[in-house]
Amino acid sequence: MASAAALKDVEDRYFECSVCLENFKEPKLLPCLHRICKGCLEKIIEKHKNGEFKCPLCNELCDIPPEGVDGFRTDFHMKSMLEYIQLQQTAKTEDLTAKCTGCLKKSKITSYCFKCKGFLCEQCSSIHLTLNLMKEHKGSILSLTEIREQKLTMERLASLTETPRCQSHVDKPAEVCCGTCQNLPVCMVCAQFGKHKAHDIQDVGVVAEKERSSIGETMATLEQCSDNVNQLPVRVEKVKKKLSEGISAAKKKLESQHTKLSRKIQRRLKDNDEMLKRNKKEIDDVEKQEVAELEEERKKEIEAAVKKINDKFDKLVGERRAKNQYLENVLETLHGERGGRINKGTTLVDRAYKGLDSSVDEQGNTHGEELEKISNEAANRKMRYDNFRSTTSSILASKDNWTEAQCLPDISKASDSLIRESKKDFPISESFGKVEAEDLNTTVGDIVRITGEPESVVDIRSGKAKGWNVMHMISSYSGSIVITGNVDNEPTHITVIDRKGKLISTDQINQRERDDGKFFPTCSPLSLFKVVTTFRDGNIGIYNTHTRSHIRKHMSDIVSEWGARKQIFSVTTDQINRNVFIGTSSRNVFVLDDMLNYRHTLQLPQYVGAPIDMVIHDDNIIVCDIWGKKARIVTREGPEAKLVCELPEPDHMGGDWEPYRVCTDCNGFIYILWESDISGQGRNILTQYSPDGNNLLITKDVEGYVCGIDTVLPDGSEKLLLVTEKGELYTYGLVMDT
């Protein structure tokens, strides 16, 4: 505030008590330079018996002097301004009529005498200005016209107000300051003969000049801190905004992930129901075919033994229907159990989502509370800073020695703590504006765990021919396990067992046509009873585990561009759309229908070598690339597959691991077998991945050369099956965390 600043430019709140919210009445000055009405201060002191209290505005601790409220200095500079403000309010009335202080008559008022503390009529005002007897009043007269113009400055107001009175002789004006008593105004009698005789008596002009110089340095120091004080609230607001944006982004990310996962799960449930319907229809079709065959048999034998044939027919139909009903019941149970596990996965995903959403809210609240504390402290510091500037500027603008001598020492004392506070910076970390939200796919990564030890180990070689081995294994939709492999000096076999290793059936499915007999037979379930079989030399077929029939074709009869050197490396099936995917020794994957007719060719990305094994995974395919030594998830729509993600490679025993077998469970978790040569010895490991393939969850050593892996759902609890080349069947539990 400049020295010539008009009083009308001072904000109204400058004259308002922070306790009673009214204009000051006998304002008392606190050490922090804030003011409180004397009456309000008395009430505060009465409530604090410990000798100190906090300023209602800035919370700074104020010591209570022994004299109580009287020990706090009265801000007579503020009193002068309040007196003038009251005059302004009164002077707003045109043709003001009131009792004249001079003649005591009620008449039209033209001026105000600050010495008489009253209004004057025109005649008395003239006497004040001309009569020698009233010469001391001449400089204290202010016309109503000047008051109404509201151009009065602090300096002009100071010249109008009466010089302070001696504290001991109130009828005498103060002439000097007592430095010992904090620049107390005293008369010369007190200074030379009274209680201030031995004190540090100074001229008020000298004291005022010294205090002006001191406060000038203080103001310069504070001015250097102004940017820090003014910018702190702005910085806090920026971080608050960033925090809000972080919370919003984290919530949006979690909601998007939750929606995608929920859609995938619903898709699996729908696919599960569709598989149930189709498998039921297949049972009905098989039943109709069997009944038709029995009817034909009955017709052929009816002439020889009508009653006997009829009884036999009824018995056989009953047995077939009972068997098929049993299979249908088993199928209902398996699909119900699969749906139950998928629904349980939904519950766990929802629970993880709610937990992460709560974590985001908690981080937001924690950072918000911390920022709110800093914001409040910044606002408090800014308020104290503004109050200091306005108070100091107001007093300096008065250019009144007495005002400066009385007030500036208190201001200088209060500035010490303010300067320390202004220089101190707040550690507003960028992390306040960040919200860390765990990836939902990672959080649900431990929903399914593999048991530490196998629940059972069964030797399925019992009773088999010499040289009988296993090269591939899958679990069928009917609950049985289908194994393909070779036998020394015998054709390739396909064997069906239950999960306990008990033989259900075994058949020859290919005649030997090569000296080494290495046909590398693989298989994949197509429907309830049908299994697609493939051989490295290009032969492909569909084997019916119920009728034990096997139809065969060669890829050269199906695909026109099948070359003489092309080989089949792997096969997988899409049971919902009844598609068969044939992986070859090139990047081409041939897609056939369930009658082994060509549909289209899917080309894998350039960096994929040969898919030694594949499995359908939602809308994608998981590919084990034996040449590239990578496991990848690629899309399966359109003519060209696109990379979705590359699964993390296992870092185990320093091995150069190659993926060669893959499967998934009903909740989408991925299981891959890897092989490597460690110190001249072949080793195998099993890895488990999250459904999105981004997180490697488990790495587990396995015994022997495991050549087949799949999952099965017996009695409602999903199991992971591993079979070795020698015919050892390992069963591991897949435990769902609750």
Side-chain angles (χ1 to χ4, degrees), residues 535-676:
F535 302 87
R536 186 67 62 87
D537 62 6
N539 279 298
I540 182 172
I542 295 178
Y543 178 78
N544 191 311
T545 60
H546 188 75
T547 63
R548 300 173 68 176
S549 62
H550 189 218
I551 60 170
R552 286 177 288 181
K553 290 185 178 182
H554 195 274
M555 287 298 294
S556 60
D557 300 324
I558 302 171
V559 180
S560 59
E561 63 264 33
W562 186 268
R565 294 187 177 183
K566 267 210 183 327
Q567 294 181 326
I568 296 177
F569 269 29
S570 57
V571 60
T572 187
T573 50
D574 173 7
Q575 296 86 6
I576 300 302
N577 298 308
R578 296 293 178 91
N579 287 332
V580 179
F581 293 77
I582 304 298
T584 69
S585 52
S586 68
R587 290 166 48 212
N588 290 337
V589 174
F590 296 106
V591 183
L592 316 179
D593 63 17
D594 59 347
M595 298 301 292
L596 303 184
N597 297 310
Y598 175 78
R599 281 191 167 174
H600 66 275
T601 300
L602 175 67
Q603 192 171 60
L604 297 176
Q606 286 186 341
Y607 40 77
V608 177
I612 194 66
D613 198 14
M614 303 184 299
V615 69
I616 298 297
H617 187 53
D618 295 326
D619 295 329
N620 306 310
I621 303 178
I622 305 173
V623 178
C624 290
D625 181 6
I626 192 67
W627 291 345
K629 299 181 181 181
K630 303 285 186 182
R632 300 180 176 94
I633 300 178
V634 300
T635 60
R636 58 185 173 102
E637 296 298 327
E640 292 185 2
K642 294 180 174 55
L643 179 68
V644 175
C645 80
E646 186 173 290
L647 281 68
E649 299 178 40
D651 183 10
H652 188 66
M653 299 178 65
D656 186 14
W657 298 99
E658 303 172 2
Y660 67 96
R661 287 290 181 267
V662 60
C663 74
T664 61
D665 63 25
C666 65
N667 279 292
F669 286 80
I670 304 167
Y671 305 86
I672 297 181
L673 288 170
W674 303 71
E675 62 182 351
S676 179

Side-chain angles (χ1 to χ4, degrees), residues 260-273:
K260 289 180 181 178
L261 286 174
S262 297
R263 286 176 181 170
K264 279 189 176 182
I265 291 172
Q266 292 303 316
R267 169 86 174 271
R268 291 185 189 132
L269 286 173
K270 183 179 179 181
D271 291 350
N272 189 53
D273 292 340

Side-chain angles (χ1 to χ4, degrees), residues 4 70 73 240 289 313 377 390 595:
D70 292 331
R73 189 190 303 277
K240 278 186 176 180
Q289 182 180 351
F313 170 79
E377 181 62 27
S390 61
M595 298 301 292

